[in-house]
């Protein structure tokens, strides 16, 4: 997989539309195509790189993952290894070019075009599945492997996905004579037109089943409970999703399996609030601890941490515990744990405590200094922060 930015490779902006992406890719492909640059390894590599960029940016789901997570996002839960040869590139991008091969208009019908036209579709692709995965903040902080239980279509073991009874096999489709395609020729004053469509009897395979498999009744698949293991990287958040390739429903009669889309949900934590990659913890201390200072133990996502309460600490003070938050998903390092300090005010006291407090109230160090809160800059700033 190329490490260069896909938008830079195709020479488009990040908000470019699909038409602009197609146009730029076509220009690059025509310029770099190996048939125009025989023996030029550099052009060949650039051609593959441009094709890889188009493969990602022309697909809305892949483009969204790439925009959100970069190259690493394309690997999450997928076995992505790029294109192994030019036929893979030609077959994938044929939608933006005319003819049997994407370059037939410019280079003629070479061996690649003939090989591709003879390739017949097999079965029907299975549908994608979606599943909600609920994670705790602790699981998100470390990353975790989860075993998911789900009900999905699996390949039939009796017929190995073909849908045919083992002893019966297949026979040539009479509708298309085994070609998998049906040609319809029409004539008009403008000339002869040939319309080629997939055979609706054999669905393009060129063969039909002599006798259906008894277990799957010709489907090539059956529905059952299954388990799928998925590795969740540290740092994900609610709303993220991971596509697991070929772990959706199996396709009919040997068709490619769909994907399993794992959608991340965050469970509400009893003590912490997540804010980006930081976590917030509210600590309430006693009045004597705030006045005299103290050493207090607070929980973190993975352990406990001792913090120092300095003498005279004010309510609303924030203590930052570096690297005690959530790991960054796309880079090194972690967020922080922010400890918001509050001072406990008792709602009821006994007579002795009440007398002690009255005595303390006489001290000028206990009674707040008199000044107008309406002109106090710190007070006004706090009110603005609370509002905005």
């Amino acid at each position: 997989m190329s490490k260069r930015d896909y938008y830079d490779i195709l020479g488009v902006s990040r908000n470019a539309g699909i038409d602009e992406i197609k146009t730029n890719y076509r220009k690059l492909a025509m310029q770099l195509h190996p048939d125009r640059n025989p023996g030029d390894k550099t052009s060949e590599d650039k051609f593959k790189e441009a094709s890889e960029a188009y493969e990602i940016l022309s697909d809305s789901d892949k483009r969204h993952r790439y925009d959100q997570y970069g190259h690493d996002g394309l690997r999450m839960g997928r076995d992505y290894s790029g294109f192994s040869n030019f036929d893979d590139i030609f077959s994938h991008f044929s939608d933006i070019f005319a003819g049997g091969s994407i370059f037939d208009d410019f280079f003629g019908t070479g061996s690649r075009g003939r090989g591709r036209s003879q390739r017949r579709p097999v079965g029907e692709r299975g549908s994608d599945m979606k599943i909600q995965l609920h994670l705790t903040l602790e699981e998100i902080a470390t990353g975790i492997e989860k075993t998911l239980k789900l009900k999905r279509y699996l390949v039939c073991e009796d017929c190995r996905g073909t849908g045919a009874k083992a002893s019966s096999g297949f026979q040539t489709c009479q509708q298309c004579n085994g070609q998998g395609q049906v040609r319809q020729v029409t004539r008009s004053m403008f000339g002869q037109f040939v319309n080629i469509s997939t055979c609706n009897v054999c669905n393009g395979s060129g063969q039909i089943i002599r006798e259906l498999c008894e277990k799957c009744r010709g489907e090539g698949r059956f529905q059952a409970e299954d388990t799928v293991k998925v590795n969740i990287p540290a740092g994900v958040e609610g709303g993220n999703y991971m596509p697991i390739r070929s772990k959706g429903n199996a396709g009919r009669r040997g068709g490619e399996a769909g994907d399993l889309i794992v959608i991340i949900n965050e469970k509400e934590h009893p003590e912490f609030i997540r804010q980006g990659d930081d976590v917030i913890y509210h600590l309430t201390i006693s009045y004597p601890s705030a006045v005299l200072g103290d050493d207090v133990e607070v929980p973190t996502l993975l352990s406990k941490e001792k913090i120092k309460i300095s003498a005279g600490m004010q309510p609303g003070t924030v203590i930052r515990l570096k690297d005690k938050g959530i790991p960054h998903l796309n880079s090194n390092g972690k967020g922080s744990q922010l400890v918001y300090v509050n001072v406990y005010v008792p709602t009821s006291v006994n007579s002795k405590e009440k007398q002690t407090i009255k005595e303390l109230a006489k001290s000028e160090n206990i009674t707040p200094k008199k000044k107008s809160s309406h002109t106090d800059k710190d007070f006004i700033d706090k009110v603005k922060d609370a509002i905005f």
Side-chain angles (χ1 to χ4, degrees), residues 23 43 105 109 121 127 145 179 195 203 211 217-219 224 236 238 263 296 298 322 327 344 347 368 375 378:
T23 299
S43 294
D105 291 347
T109 54
S127 59
E145 181 183 80
Q179 296 301 307
N195 179 46
N203 292 320
E211 193 175 351
R217 303 305 301 165
E219 284 283 307
V236 297
I263 302 171
V296 179
V298 297
K322 191 176 180 181
Y344 174 71
T347 56
T375 58
D378 291 337

PDB file of all heavy atoms in Angstrom, residues 23 43 105 109 121 127 145 179 195 203 211 217-219 224 236 238 263 296 298 322 327 344 347 368 375 378:
ATOM      1  N   THR A  23     -11.677  11.887 -13.647  1.00  0.00           N
ATOM      2  CA  THR A  23     -10.987  12.579 -14.742  1.00  0.00           C
ATOM      3  C   THR A  23      -9.480  12.592 -14.526  1.00  0.00           C
ATOM      4  O   THR A  23      -8.700  12.276 -15.431  1.00  0.00           O
ATOM      5  CB  THR A  23     -11.511  14.021 -14.870  1.00  0.00           C
ATOM      6  OG1 THR A  23     -12.910  13.987 -15.169  1.00  0.00           O
ATOM      7  CG2 THR A  23     -10.782  14.760 -15.977  1.00  0.00           C
ATOM      8  N   SER A  43       7.378   4.307 -14.184  1.00  0.00           N
ATOM      9  CA  SER A  43       6.025   4.581 -14.662  1.00  0.00           C
ATOM     10  C   SER A  43       5.063   3.490 -14.224  1.00  0.00           C
ATOM     11  O   SER A  43       3.915   3.767 -13.861  1.00  0.00           O
ATOM     12  CB  SER A  43       6.026   4.698 -16.197  1.00  0.00           C
ATOM     13  OG  SER A  43       6.755   5.829 -16.599  1.00  0.00           O
ATOM     14  N   ASP A 105      -9.843   1.211 -25.876  1.00  0.00           N
ATOM     15  CA  ASP A 105     -10.058   2.335 -26.783  1.00  0.00           C
ATOM     16  C   ASP A 105      -8.745   2.934 -27.273  1.00  0.00           C
ATOM     17  O   ASP A 105      -8.687   3.553 -28.328  1.00  0.00           O
ATOM     18  CB  ASP A 105     -10.861   3.443 -26.079  1.00  0.00           C
ATOM     19  CG  ASP A 105     -12.297   3.014 -25.831  1.00  0.00           C
ATOM     20  OD1 ASP A 105     -12.700   1.993 -26.415  1.00  0.00           O
ATOM     21  OD2 ASP A 105     -12.980   3.699 -25.070  1.00  0.00           O
ATOM     22  N   THR A 109      -7.427  -4.433 -28.413  1.00  0.00           N
ATOM     23  CA  THR A 109      -7.870  -5.540 -27.560  1.00  0.00           C
ATOM     24  C   THR A 109      -6.744  -6.529 -27.414  1.00  0.00           C
ATOM     25  O   THR A 109      -6.606  -7.476 -28.188  1.00  0.00           O
ATOM     26  CB  THR A 109      -9.090  -6.232 -28.178  1.00  0.00           C
ATOM     27  OG1 THR A 109      -8.745  -6.612 -29.508  1.00  0.00           O
ATOM     28  CG2 THR A 109     -10.273  -5.303 -28.189  1.00  0.00           C
ATOM     29  N   PRO A 121     -18.821 -14.523 -13.952  1.00  0.00           N
ATOM     30  CA  PRO A 121     -19.198 -14.310 -12.552  1.00  0.00           C
ATOM     31  C   PRO A 121     -19.626 -15.605 -11.901  1.00  0.00           C
ATOM     32  O   PRO A 121     -20.201 -16.476 -12.530  1.00  0.00           O
ATOM     33  CB  PRO A 121     -20.384 -13.322 -12.652  1.00  0.00           C
ATOM     34  CG  PRO A 121     -20.925 -13.521 -14.034  1.00  0.00           C
ATOM     35  CD  PRO A 121     -19.758 -13.886 -14.892  1.00  0.00           C
ATOM     36  N   SER A 127     -24.544 -10.483   1.636  1.00  0.00           N
ATOM     37  CA  SER A 127     -24.806  -9.139   2.160  1.00  0.00           C
ATOM     38  C   SER A 127     -23.880  -8.825   3.334  1.00  0.00           C
ATOM     39  O   SER A 127     -23.397  -9.715   4.041  1.00  0.00           O
ATOM     40  CB  SER A 127     -26.263  -9.030   2.621  1.00  0.00           C
ATOM     41  OG  SER A 127     -26.536  -9.983   3.631  1.00  0.00           O
ATOM     42  N   GLU A 145      -9.230  -7.846  22.388  1.00  0.00           N
ATOM     43  CA  GLU A 145      -9.757  -8.805  21.416  1.00  0.00           C
ATOM     44  C   GLU A 145     -11.117  -9.278  21.908  1.00  0.00           C
ATOM     45  O   GLU A 145     -11.264  -9.701  23.047  1.00  0.00           O
ATOM     46  CB  GLU A 145      -8.817 -10.002  21.252  1.00  0.00           C
ATOM     47  CG  GLU A 145      -9.323 -11.019  20.226  1.00  0.00           C
ATOM     48  CD  GLU A 145      -8.429 -12.240  20.101  1.00  0.00           C
ATOM     49  OE1 GLU A 145      -8.532 -13.146  20.966  1.00  0.00           O
ATOM     50  OE2 GLU A 145      -7.628 -12.289  19.167  1.00  0.00           O
ATOM     51  N   GLN A 179     -22.181 -19.478 -22.286  1.00  0.00           N
ATOM     52  CA  GLN A 179     -21.416 -18.243 -22.369  1.00  0.00           C
ATOM     53  C   GLN A 179     -21.619 -17.335 -21.155  1.00  0.00           C
ATOM     54  O   GLN A 179     -20.799 -16.470 -20.871  1.00  0.00           O
ATOM     55  CB  GLN A 179     -21.802 -17.472 -23.637  1.00  0.00           C
ATOM     56  CG  GLN A 179     -21.457 -18.190 -24.926  1.00  0.00           C
ATOM     57  CD  GLN A 179     -19.971 -18.472 -25.034  1.00  0.00           C
ATOM     58  OE1 GLN A 179     -19.151 -17.566 -24.890  1.00  0.00           O
ATOM     59  NE2 GLN A 179     -19.625 -19.722 -25.284  1.00  0.00           N
ATOM     60  N   ASN A 195     -26.606  -5.431 -27.760  1.00  0.00           N
ATOM     61  CA  ASN A 195     -26.749  -5.304 -26.312  1.00  0.00           C
ATOM     62  C   ASN A 195     -26.378  -6.638 -25.666  1.00  0.00           C
ATOM     63  O   ASN A 195     -26.965  -7.677 -25.984  1.00  0.00           O
ATOM     64  CB  ASN A 195     -28.186  -4.932 -25.950  1.00  0.00           C
ATOM     65  CG  ASN A 195     -28.374  -4.809 -24.445  1.00  0.00           C
ATOM     66  OD1 ASN A 195     -27.564  -4.193 -23.773  1.00  0.00           O
ATOM     67  ND2 ASN A 195     -29.420  -5.422 -23.921  1.00  0.00           N
ATOM     68  N   ASN A 203     -27.453 -16.861 -14.267  1.00  0.00           N
ATOM     69  CA  ASN A 203     -26.866 -15.722 -13.561  1.00  0.00           C
ATOM     70  C   ASN A 203     -25.413 -15.488 -13.941  1.00  0.00           C
ATOM     71  O   ASN A 203     -24.587 -15.092 -13.118  1.00  0.00           O
ATOM     72  CB  ASN A 203     -26.984 -15.892 -12.040  1.00  0.00           C
ATOM     73  CG  ASN A 203     -28.411 -15.808 -11.561  1.00  0.00           C
ATOM     74  OD1 ASN A 203     -29.182 -14.988 -12.044  1.00  0.00           O
ATOM     75  ND2 ASN A 203     -28.771 -16.672 -10.625  1.00  0.00           N
ATOM     76  N   GLU A 211     -29.056 -31.251 -10.015  1.00  0.00           N
ATOM     77  CA  GLU A 211     -29.851 -31.668  -8.864  1.00  0.00           C
ATOM     78  C   GLU A 211     -29.405 -30.871  -7.643  1.00  0.00           C
ATOM     79  O   GLU A 211     -28.205 -30.790  -7.350  1.00  0.00           O
ATOM     80  CB  GLU A 211     -29.669 -33.167  -8.605  1.00  0.00           C
ATOM     81  CG  GLU A 211     -30.683 -33.747  -7.631  1.00  0.00           C
ATOM     82  CD  GLU A 211     -30.547 -35.256  -7.500  1.00  0.00           C
ATOM     83  OE1 GLU A 211     -29.785 -35.870  -8.284  1.00  0.00           O
ATOM     84  OE2 GLU A 211     -31.194 -35.816  -6.589  1.00  0.00           O
ATOM     85  N   ARG A 217     -30.617 -26.715  -0.341  1.00  0.00           N
ATOM     86  CA  ARG A 217     -31.618 -26.563  -1.398  1.00  0.00           C
ATOM     87  C   ARG A 217     -31.133 -25.655  -2.526  1.00  0.00           C
ATOM     88  O   ARG A 217     -31.850 -24.790  -3.024  1.00  0.00           O
ATOM     89  CB  ARG A 217     -32.933 -26.023  -0.831  1.00  0.00           C
ATOM     90  CG  ARG A 217     -33.541 -26.859   0.292  1.00  0.00           C
ATOM     91  CD  ARG A 217     -33.729 -28.301  -0.133  1.00  0.00           C
ATOM     92  NE  ARG A 217     -34.587 -28.428  -1.307  1.00  0.00           N
ATOM     93  CZ  ARG A 217     -34.672 -29.536  -2.049  1.00  0.00           C
ATOM     94  NH1 ARG A 217     -33.923 -30.596  -1.751  1.00  0.00           N
ATOM     95  NH2 ARG A 217     -35.490 -29.570  -3.099  1.00  0.00           N
ATOM     96  N   GLY A 218     -29.867 -25.802  -2.878  1.00  0.00           N
ATOM     97  CA  GLY A 218     -29.323 -25.066  -4.006  1.00  0.00           C
ATOM     98  C   GLY A 218     -28.754 -23.701  -3.675  1.00  0.00           C
ATOM     99  O   GLY A 218     -28.216 -23.029  -4.557  1.00  0.00           O
ATOM    100  N   GLU A 219     -28.858 -23.264  -2.411  1.00  0.00           N
ATOM    101  CA  GLU A 219     -28.356 -21.947  -2.027  1.00  0.00           C
ATOM    102  C   GLU A 219     -26.831 -21.924  -1.934  1.00  0.00           C
ATOM    103  O   GLU A 219     -26.204 -20.891  -2.133  1.00  0.00           O
ATOM    104  CB  GLU A 219     -28.948 -21.533  -0.672  1.00  0.00           C
ATOM    105  CG  GLU A 219     -30.389 -21.082  -0.727  1.00  0.00           C
ATOM    106  CD  GLU A 219     -30.507 -19.678  -1.284  1.00  0.00           C
ATOM    107  OE1 GLU A 219     -29.836 -18.769  -0.780  1.00  0.00           O
ATOM    108  OE2 GLU A 219     -31.268 -19.500  -2.255  1.00  0.00           O
ATOM    109  N   ALA A 224     -26.674 -20.172  10.436  1.00  0.00           N
ATOM    110  CA  ALA A 224     -26.306 -20.800  11.713  1.00  0.00           C
ATOM    111  C   ALA A 224     -25.617 -19.770  12.600  1.00  0.00           C
ATOM    112  O   ALA A 224     -25.209 -18.699  12.144  1.00  0.00           O
ATOM    113  CB  ALA A 224     -25.389 -21.997  11.472  1.00  0.00           C
ATOM    114  N   VAL A 236     -10.118   3.946  20.192  1.00  0.00           N
ATOM    115  CA  VAL A 236     -11.342   4.138  19.412  1.00  0.00           C
ATOM    116  C   VAL A 236     -12.362   4.912  20.238  1.00  0.00           C
ATOM    117  O   VAL A 236     -12.209   5.049  21.459  1.00  0.00           O
ATOM    118  CB  VAL A 236     -11.936   2.783  18.960  1.00  0.00           C
ATOM    119  CG1 VAL A 236     -10.978   2.059  18.039  1.00  0.00           C
ATOM    120  CG2 VAL A 236     -12.295   1.913  20.161  1.00  0.00           C
ATOM    121  N   GLY A 238     -16.853   6.131  20.423  1.00  0.00           N
ATOM    122  CA  GLY A 238     -18.197   5.851  19.960  1.00  0.00           C
ATOM    123  C   GLY A 238     -18.453   6.434  18.581  1.00  0.00           C
ATOM    124  O   GLY A 238     -18.119   7.579  18.317  1.00  0.00           O
ATOM    125  N   ILE A 263     -19.585  -1.601  14.744  1.00  0.00           N
ATOM    126  CA  ILE A 263     -19.777  -0.203  15.143  1.00  0.00           C
ATOM    127  C   ILE A 263     -19.496  -0.076  16.637  1.00  0.00           C
ATOM    128  O   ILE A 263     -20.059  -0.812  17.453  1.00  0.00           O
ATOM    129  CB  ILE A 263     -21.204   0.273  14.826  1.00  0.00           C
ATOM    130  CG1 ILE A 263     -21.487   0.100  13.323  1.00  0.00           C
ATOM    131  CG2 ILE A 263     -21.402   1.724  15.242  1.00  0.00           C
ATOM    132  CD1 ILE A 263     -22.929   0.347  12.949  1.00  0.00           C
ATOM    133  N   VAL A 296      -3.800  12.540  48.612  1.00  0.00           N
ATOM    134  CA  VAL A 296      -5.043  11.823  48.311  1.00  0.00           C
ATOM    135  C   VAL A 296      -4.793  10.821  47.186  1.00  0.00           C
ATOM    136  O   VAL A 296      -4.071  11.109  46.227  1.00  0.00           O
ATOM    137  CB  VAL A 296      -6.159  12.808  47.899  1.00  0.00           C
ATOM    138  CG1 VAL A 296      -7.448  12.064  47.571  1.00  0.00           C
ATOM    139  CG2 VAL A 296      -6.400  13.828  48.996  1.00  0.00           C
ATOM    140  N   VAL A 298      -6.330   8.767  44.059  1.00  0.00           N
ATOM    141  CA  VAL A 298      -7.456   8.818  43.129  1.00  0.00           C
ATOM    142  C   VAL A 298      -7.349   7.653  42.141  1.00  0.00           C
ATOM    143  O   VAL A 298      -6.253   7.201  41.809  1.00  0.00           O
ATOM    144  CB  VAL A 298      -7.487  10.156  42.350  1.00  0.00           C
ATOM    145  CG1 VAL A 298      -7.695  11.326  43.295  1.00  0.00           C
ATOM    146  CG2 VAL A 298      -6.235  10.347  41.524  1.00  0.00           C
ATOM    147  N   LYS A 322      -0.598  13.564  33.588  1.00  0.00           N
ATOM    148  CA  LYS A 322      -0.167  13.346  32.197  1.00  0.00           C
ATOM    149  C   LYS A 322      -0.108  11.853  31.865  1.00  0.00           C
ATOM    150  O   LYS A 322       0.282  11.027  32.703  1.00  0.00           O
ATOM    151  CB  LYS A 322       1.209  13.985  31.987  1.00  0.00           C
ATOM    152  CG  LYS A 322       1.632  14.053  30.537  1.00  0.00           C
ATOM    153  CD  LYS A 322       2.953  14.787  30.395  1.00  0.00           C
ATOM    154  CE  LYS A 322       3.375  14.855  28.930  1.00  0.00           C
ATOM    155  NZ  LYS A 322       4.685  15.540  28.772  1.00  0.00           N
ATOM    156  N   PRO A 327      -5.137   6.420  24.857  1.00  0.00           N
ATOM    157  CA  PRO A 327      -4.096   6.492  23.818  1.00  0.00           C
ATOM    158  C   PRO A 327      -4.640   7.145  22.555  1.00  0.00           C
ATOM    159  O   PRO A 327      -5.802   6.972  22.193  1.00  0.00           O
ATOM    160  CB  PRO A 327      -3.746   5.013  23.567  1.00  0.00           C
ATOM    161  CG  PRO A 327      -4.169   4.299  24.812  1.00  0.00           C
ATOM    162  CD  PRO A 327      -5.378   5.040  25.304  1.00  0.00           C
ATOM    163  N   TYR A 344     -15.969  19.689  50.007  1.00  0.00           N
ATOM    164  CA  TYR A 344     -17.215  19.207  50.583  1.00  0.00           C
ATOM    165  C   TYR A 344     -17.732  20.178  51.642  1.00  0.00           C
ATOM    166  O   TYR A 344     -16.998  20.599  52.542  1.00  0.00           O
ATOM    167  CB  TYR A 344     -17.003  17.829  51.213  1.00  0.00           C
ATOM    168  CG  TYR A 344     -18.203  17.316  51.968  1.00  0.00           C
ATOM    169  CD1 TYR A 344     -19.353  16.905  51.294  1.00  0.00           C
ATOM    170  CD2 TYR A 344     -18.200  17.248  53.357  1.00  0.00           C
ATOM    171  CE1 TYR A 344     -20.457  16.441  51.970  1.00  0.00           C
ATOM    172  CE2 TYR A 344     -19.303  16.771  54.051  1.00  0.00           C
ATOM    173  CZ  TYR A 344     -20.422  16.372  53.358  1.00  0.00           C
ATOM    174  OH  TYR A 344     -21.513  15.908  54.030  1.00  0.00           O
ATOM    175  N   THR A 347     -23.941  19.196  55.173  1.00  0.00           N
ATOM    176  CA  THR A 347     -25.325  19.685  55.219  1.00  0.00           C
ATOM    177  C   THR A 347     -25.883  19.720  56.644  1.00  0.00           C
ATOM    178  O   THR A 347     -26.909  20.351  56.882  1.00  0.00           O
ATOM    179  CB  THR A 347     -26.214  18.785  54.351  1.00  0.00           C
ATOM    180  OG1 THR A 347     -26.086  17.426  54.797  1.00  0.00           O
ATOM    181  CG2 THR A 347     -25.800  18.882  52.888  1.00  0.00           C
ATOM    182  N   PRO A 368     -14.014  35.415  53.893  1.00  0.00           N
ATOM    183  CA  PRO A 368     -13.498  35.931  52.622  1.00  0.00           C
ATOM    184  C   PRO A 368     -13.398  37.445  52.636  1.00  0.00           C
ATOM    185  O   PRO A 368     -14.177  38.128  53.305  1.00  0.00           O
ATOM    186  CB  PRO A 368     -14.537  35.451  51.601  1.00  0.00           C
ATOM    187  CG  PRO A 368     -15.772  35.191  52.392  1.00  0.00           C
ATOM    188  CD  PRO A 368     -15.309  34.745  53.742  1.00  0.00           C
ATOM    189  N   THR A 375     -17.446  42.901  39.842  1.00  0.00           N
ATOM    190  CA  THR A 375     -16.297  43.515  39.189  1.00  0.00           C
ATOM    191  C   THR A 375     -15.056  42.637  39.319  1.00  0.00           C
ATOM    192  O   THR A 375     -13.982  43.013  38.880  1.00  0.00           O
ATOM    193  CB  THR A 375     -16.013  44.893  39.813  1.00  0.00           C
ATOM    194  OG1 THR A 375     -15.775  44.728  41.219  1.00  0.00           O
ATOM    195  CG2 THR A 375     -17.171  45.838  39.580  1.00  0.00           C
ATOM    196  N   ASP A 378     -11.748  37.408  37.914  1.00  0.00           N
ATOM    197  CA  ASP A 378     -11.747  35.940  37.949  1.00  0.00           C
ATOM    198  C   ASP A 378     -13.163  35.397  37.951  1.00  0.00           C
ATOM    199  O   ASP A 378     -13.472  34.413  37.262  1.00  0.00           O
ATOM    200  CB  ASP A 378     -10.993  35.437  39.179  1.00  0.00           C
ATOM    201  CG  ASP A 378      -9.502  35.721  39.076  1.00  0.00           C
ATOM    202  OD1 ASP A 378      -9.024  35.885  37.929  1.00  0.00           O
ATOM    203  OD2 ASP A 378      -8.830  35.765  40.121  1.00  0.00           O
TER     204      ASP A 378
END
